[in-house]
Amino acid sequence: MAHFARIERQHQTNANALLKPHGLKHTEWRILALTDEFQAVSLTQIVDLVVIERTTIGKLIDRMVLKNWLNKQKSSDDARALRVSLTPGGQKL
């Protein structure tokens, strides 16, 4: 198991180095890619697919909204749920 953890850490390090010139971190890129794939995605889906704690994802999404990469709106199906979608700036990245 430790071997896989080292591989994952190295993968994140490499990805962060490649994404840094674009002003992105690996986790931010994963959220943008996921949102692009599903068009609009719930915070629960992001937590499940990115495998990061809900509070961490919530703060990261808020920062990405401030950077104008993502839009956040209440779900039409459930007023308690939030849906996240890409802005034109997020699509460009």
Side-chain angles (χ1 to χ4, degrees), residues 41-92:
V41 63
S42 72
L43 290 181
T44 302
Q45 288 172 306
I46 293 171
V47 169
D48 290 346
L49 295 170
V50 177
V51 192
I52 296 177
E53 290 184 34
R54 186 174 190 83
T55 55
T56 303
I57 288 291
K59 291 174 187 174
L60 184 55
I61 296 292
D62 288 343
R63 285 196 305 267
M64 293 174 76
V65 167
L66 289 174
K67 291 178 179 181
N68 200 31
W69 295 345
L70 295 174
N71 287 318
K72 189 169 69 167
Q73 64 270 351
K74 291 191 185 258
S75 171
S76 58
D77 301 335
D78 182 353
R80 298 168 297 165
L82 293 174
R83 306 285 291 169
V84 177
S85 59
L86 289 175
T87 64
Q91 289 174 335
K92 187 176 178 180

Side-chain angles (χ1 to χ4, degrees), residues 7-20 22-34 49-50 52 57 60 64 69:
I7 291 170
E8 177 60 21
R9 275 194 306 275
Q10 187 60 54
H11 171 72
Q12 287 183 14
T13 299
N14 294 344
N16 282 330
L18 291 170
L19 292 166
K20 187 175 183 176
H22 303 283
L24 285 167
K25 294 181 180 174
H26 183 244
T27 306
E28 293 168 332
W29 176 83
R30 288 174 64 192
I31 292 170
L32 290 173
L34 177 70
L49 295 170
V50 177
I52 296 177
I57 288 291
L60 184 55
M64 293 174 76
W69 295 345

